[in-house]
Amino acid sequence: MNLTTQNAKNLISKDNELSKKAAFEILNTCDTESFKTICDNSEQMFDFVIDKVVKNLTHATNEGSIKSTFEFAKTYNPTIGQFINNIWLKFANEDLTDEILEILENGTDEQKIYAAKYFEKINDPLALELLSKYAFCDNTDLSTACATALGAFNDSASHDVAISMLNEDDDFKKFSAMAFLINYAKKDDISTILKELENSPFAANIAAGILYKYNLEELKNTLNKDEILKLYNEIISSYPEDIGLETIFDFNLLNFTKEYFTDKNSLANRVIADLKNVISLINADNIYTYDLNKNCINNIKKIDEVLEKYKPEANIISDELFQTQKRAQRAINTLIALGDTSCCEKIEKLYTTTNDPLLLCECARAAKNLGFKLEKETGLNKISDKNALELFKSYF
């Protein structure tokens, strides 16, 4: 850690009295530099150290030093900054609410985040207009805080705006709408969001957002089996490069694996087969695991133990070829990885029945990798796009 002030160093000291004294000093002198350096180094602190810092800063604040927290709020930190909202809620009254409303309107983006979190608990209707204004902004922390607050208000107007944005042609606007709905936290919206994942370039990010908000047991009470599988499918398909492997623990992949590895559903079979490939890849090279914590590494080991009993069935997985384009494409990747030629007949059937240039190319790629032949003219007659045509020809 690189703490730049003595107060900051004292604040994390093992000496509790010294730490408490530093907290009072930081609050009473409005020592923004110490607060900022603590925030800047928070990712390198153990949870128990952060808890102590938040506790001591909270206890050190009185009505006379609340003004200091307004200045500290110009630095946003989701962990250390908890103390700011703790204080605002502790001393909440009409005058303080008016001051925080002013911050929500005219403060920095960082201050507005804390203000939005305040109004998540203090449902003052005067904040609604401003919360709605920032709910779809580019600052992710601010839009998240505002959407969460609007959910606490149960504000139907902003919810309706988000639902209507799902009909936009702009992928970024759709992403913003889905992110809003996740943070608004109305469980009935999850199925609506999942329908958008098929064609969204941000599918993995949205799936991660849902899984950070709801655990597997909650989802089982809200979604059907295929919806849960589609959700985890986006995460597993993005490992190990696009989604951090620490989420294996965060998203309870162990329980997910135990729940579905014996399922004969084609989607379940394919998703579990992909997970097994991911775990094998991770275990083959410690570059993927060297910076993971013990909980995550232990989860990977336990998932691997469960998957030792799993035998992928290419014949079942190949039923995925006749689902959506994305599911068919991913199924072809899985079948190629398995190297099981019992699926060749179904791939050939897809090849002869589809007019989708991407799937025609994928079928040709599968034929090349699995060692069976397809009639080249069939694809040539169906593909008009020049780039797709060149890719298709490269497989023959």
Side-chain angles (χ1 to χ4, degrees):
M1 284 188 290
N2 182 29
L3 298 174
T4 58
T5 73
Q6 192 59 50
N7 272 339
K9 293 174 183 176
N10 291 346
L11 185 61
I12 66 167
S13 170
K14 293 180 181 178
D15 183 333
N16 288 331
E17 290 306 312
L18 186 61
S19 179
K20 289 176 182 178
K21 184 178 178 181
F24 276 102
E25 183 73 15
I26 289 169
L27 265 300
N28 290 331
T29 64
C30 194
D31 185 354
T32 54
E33 185 181 352
S34 290
F35 181 74
K36 186 176 186 306
T37 194
I38 285 289
C39 290
D40 290 345
N41 288 272
S42 62
E43 289 188 1
Q44 300 173 55
M45 296 178 187
F46 292 112
D47 288 345
F48 74 88
V49 175
I50 290 174
D51 290 343
K52 184 172 84 167
V53 167
V54 170
K55 179 181 177 181
N56 285 342
L57 287 172
T58 300
H59 287 170
T61 310
N62 53 44
E63 289 188 75
S65 55
I66 287 178
K67 293 290 184 183
S68 294
T69 65
F70 295 163
E71 292 301 311
F72 295 156
K74 292 177 181 177
T75 298
Y76 176 67
N77 184 282
T79 54
I80 303 295
Q82 293 175 72
F83 107 90
I84 294 174
N85 283 113
N86 289 347
I87 292 305
W88 290 358
L89 293 172
K90 179 180 178 180
F91 293 102
N93 58 39
E94 188 173 338
D95 289 339
L96 180 59
T97 297
D98 287 343
E99 290 186 87
I100 296 174
L101 192 63
E102 173 67 21
I103 288 173
L104 183 61
E105 183 172 13
N106 297 312
T108 66
D109 277 3
E110 292 74 18
Q111 288 176 310
K112 289 173 182 177
I113 296 167
Y114 290 109
K117 290 186 174 186
Y118 175 80
F119 288 112
E120 178 188 345
K121 304 297 183 182
I122 305 297
N123 293 163
D124 188 327
L126 292 176
L128 276 173
E129 183 178 351
L130 291 168
L131 292 170
S132 299
K133 177 181 177 181
Y134 306 128
F136 302 98
C137 71
D138 292 335
N139 184 314
T140 302
D141 290 319
L142 178 55
S143 62
T144 296
C146 289
T148 304
L150 289 164
F153 274 90
N154 197 26
D155 179 59
S156 60
S158 58
H159 182 268
D160 290 346
V161 169
I163 293 294
S164 68
M165 285 171 64
L166 295 177
N167 297 318
E168 298 275 359
D169 292 330
D170 187 321
D171 285 328
F172 289 97
K173 286 185 178 180
K174 284 187 174 183
F175 174 75
S176 183
M178 288 186 281
F180 174 92
L181 292 172
I182 291 169
N183 293 306
Y184 189 90
K186 184 180 177 183
K187 287 184 180 179
D188 291 347
D189 288 331
I190 303 176
S191 292
T192 302
I193 296 168
L194 288 177
K195 291 174 184 175
E196 301 296 325
L197 294 193
E198 178 68 25
N199 299 309
S200 174
F202 308 108
N205 303 87
I206 291 299
I210 294 171
L211 289 171
Y212 274 122
K213 180 69 73 172
Y214 304 103
N215 62 42
L216 180 58
E217 290 306 310
E218 289 175 308
L219 291 172
K220 284 165 63 178
N221 292 327
T222 306
L223 305 177
N224 63 42
K225 180 172 67 177
D226 270 13
E227 287 174 325
I228 291 173
L229 288 167
K230 288 175 186 177
L231 187 58
Y232 276 89
N233 173 34
E234 295 301 337
I235 300 299
I236 292 167
S237 295
S238 299
Y239 285 146
E241 305 294 345
D242 298 326
I243 295 289
L245 290 176
E246 69 278 357
T247 59
I248 285 177
F249 179 74
D250 297 336
F251 299 158
N252 207 345
L253 264 290
L254 177 59
N255 277 3
F256 171 81
T257 306
K258 290 177 178 178
E259 182 84 22
Y260 295 106
F261 87 100
T262 58
D263 200 303
K264 296 301 181 182
N265 172 294
S266 63
L267 180 57
N269 235 272
R270 200 261 299 157
V271 170
I272 296 297
D274 288 348
L275 179 59
K276 185 166 186 174
N277 286 337
V278 167
I279 298 298
S280 296
L281 176 62
I282 293 169
N283 287 336
D285 193 337
N286 64 9
I287 191 173
Y288 294 112
T289 57
Y290 77 94
D291 61 346
L292 295 179
N293 62 41
K294 287 184 178 180
N295 285 332
C296 189
I297 291 173
N298 287 337
N299 256 239
I300 290 171
K301 290 178 180 177
K302 290 177 181 178
I303 291 170
D304 196 23
E305 290 170 4
V306 173
L307 291 177
E308 285 180 3
K309 306 169 188 175
Y310 168 71
K311 302 297 180 186
E313 298 186 51
N315 189 50
I316 293 177
I317 293 171
S318 58
D319 288 340
E320 286 291 289
L321 297 171
F322 308 101
Q323 301 296 327
T324 63
Q325 183 201 68
K326 180 187 279 188
R327 286 173 65 174
Q329 183 183 10
R330 288 179 175 171
I332 288 172
N333 286 333
T334 307
L335 293 167
I336 290 173
L338 290 175
D340 188 330
T341 57
S342 66
C343 63
C344 297
E345 187 176 330
K346 288 184 180 178
I347 294 176
E348 186 173 358
K349 180 181 177 182
L350 174 63
Y351 180 71
T352 58
T353 56
T354 187
N355 291 313
D356 187 317
L358 173 63
L359 293 183
L360 288 164
C361 290
E362 288 294 276
C363 288
R365 181 170 70 92
K368 181 176 181 179
N369 279 274
L370 294 174
F372 67 98
K373 291 185 178 181
L374 293 174
E375 180 56 54
K376 185 178 180 181
E377 290 301 317
T378 300
L380 293 176
N381 291 334
K382 291 182 178 182
I383 300 173
S384 56
D385 180 82
K386 289 182 179 179
N387 291 329
L389 193 59
E390 289 305 310
L391 178 62
F392 175 80
K393 289 177 181 178
S394 70
Y395 295 126
F396 287 87

